[in-house]
Amino acid sequence: MTNTETALKEALASIEGATGAALVDYTSGMALGTIGGSKGFDLNVAAAGNTDVVRAKIRTMEHLGLKGEIEDILITLSDQYHLIRLMKGRGGNGLFLYLVLDAKRANLAMARHQLKRIEADLEV
Amino acid sequence: MAAEAEVLDELHRLRARVPQLTGALAASVDGLVLAQDTPGVEPEGLAALTAAALGVAVRMADATRQGDFRELLVRGEYGYVATYAAGPSVVLTLLAGDRANVGRLHLEGRRSGTRIGALVEAAAVEAQPTTAARLPAKPAVPRTRTARTARTTTEPTGESR
């Protein structure tokens, strides 16, 4: 079991190519914790914007009558990957982990696997 | 303050950008409406209540040494009322439903507050070109009022989200 701060630190330190991470409450759009980012990349802006992404997908799935749950969402930019992993269980409902990766350095399969493990260990 | 039209434009743009908003109001710190787009809510009452709440918020920030007033968030059963500083003499009050993205509300509210503050300031400078040199001497100490019983009823808008 890890807390938010440790989990975010671990994400940034152990996932190759990670440049920023956040734990976001998508019922409010606010970040519970952020790490990394830069002056030009405000993780609080990303948290609010990606809340809309997650909500839109959840709503679309409801409209389509899909019963499954979102595990993760991958957004591929020309030079970055953005990975959104929805948390489940242990009070993690309504939260997602958001990870920014440098596309040149990251191993997507490994990053996804590691983020899944960090999410499983995280207790909010 | 002759910036009403520009400020109203800004409020319309803000509401277009943030669809979860159910109302937006710019008011002077002493409770007068500057521009409003608040369907279903009486703007004069909201402006007066904003000024009253602002007075308490300013004093609370001051008493706990948190510096100047920046923003105030009230969450009700059916939604949010958020007030943001817009320069020294104006505040921006936004209404949003309970499913609103508060992170987004804060980002857009702060940005819009800054813009409205600049618009009002520019209009003030334009109105007094001869005295522009001594402009920053505007003492914007918000008056505190005793809370009125101006009752504004916010209907819960049936939001689809």
Side-chain angles (χ1 to χ4, degrees):
Chain A
M1 292 301 104
T2 52
N3 62 18
T4 304
E5 207 190 346
T6 317
L8 291 177
K9 271 185 190 154
E10 197 184 335
L12 204 61
S14 70
I15 301 177
E16 186 67 28
T19 60
L23 178 67
V24 183
D25 175 358
Y26 65 80
T27 58
S28 73
M30 292 201 274
L32 304 186
T34 63
I35 194 167
S38 64
K39 255 211 166 108
F41 193 102
D42 185 339
L43 281 161
N44 290 308
V45 175
N50 285 286
T51 289
D52 290 338
V53 173
V54 170
R55 285 185 181 183
K57 188 66 208 173
I58 290 173
R59 208 169 55 243
T60 308
M61 288 174 59
E62 275 168 19
H63 290 165
L64 290 171
L66 298 177
K67 294 281 183 300
E69 286 185 344
I70 305 172
E71 255 193 47
D72 57 19
I73 298 172
L74 169 67
I75 294 159
T76 311
L77 311 185
S78 51
D79 58 347
Q80 289 182 354
Y81 297 123
H82 292 181
L83 204 51
I84 293 168
R85 179 155 200 104
L86 274 76
M87 289 195 57
K88 23 185 195 286
R90 275 205 314 280
N93 253 338
L95 304 179
F96 67 82
L97 277 165
Y98 176 72
L99 182 68
V100 183
L101 297 161
D102 177 352
K104 283 195 281 298
R105 290 191 292 135
N107 174 335
L108 196 51
M110 186 60 101
R112 203 164 157 258
H113 175 73
Q114 284 170 311
L115 192 61
K116 184 178 184 173
R117 187 180 46 75
I118 290 168
E119 183 251 313
D121 283 345
L122 173 58
E123 187 152 39
V124 183
Chain B
M1 280 180 253
E4 281 89 348
E6 284 110 315
V7 173
L8 187 60
D9 265 359
E10 175 60 31
L11 296 186
H12 288 322
R13 275 200 300 275
L14 180 64
R15 286 204 58 193
R17 260 200 320 270
V18 191
Q20 299 130 339
L21 282 185
T22 56
L25 168 103
S28 64
V29 290
D30 48 10
L32 297 172
V33 178
L34 192 66
Q36 56 93 7
D37 179 12
T38 56
V41 178
E42 202 233 318
E44 284 78 19
L46 182 60
L49 286 171
T50 294
L54 181 69
V56 176
V58 166
R59 290 219 309 256
M60 201 145 71
D62 193 44
T64 54
R65 297 199 197 112
Q66 311 293 350
D68 286 342
F69 169 81
R70 287 282 182 80
E71 56 204 45
L72 177 68
L73 182 70
V74 177
R75 183 178 184 182
E77 200 180 340
Y78 303 122
Y80 298 89
V81 186
T83 298
Y84 302 91
S89 57
V90 177
V91 289
L92 170 67
T93 293
L94 302 178
L95 307 175
D98 69 332
R99 300 292 324 267
N101 181 339
V102 186
R104 182 96 188 278
L105 184 73
H106 280 325
L107 293 172
E108 298 284 2
R110 287 167 196 155
R111 213 173 286 166
S112 208
T114 310
R115 215 166 294 141
I116 289 170
L119 287 173
V120 171
E121 185 135 330
V125 170
E126 219 168 89
Q128 300 168 289
T130 48
T131 53
R134 58 163 186 88
L135 238 195
K138 197 193 285 172
V141 183
R143 271 199 290 139
T144 54
R145 304 181 165 203
T146 47
R148 281 204 231 154
T149 45
R151 200 158 289 156
T152 51
T153 44
T154 320
E155 300 134 43
T157 48
E159 263 207 70
S160 56
R161 292 186 189 221

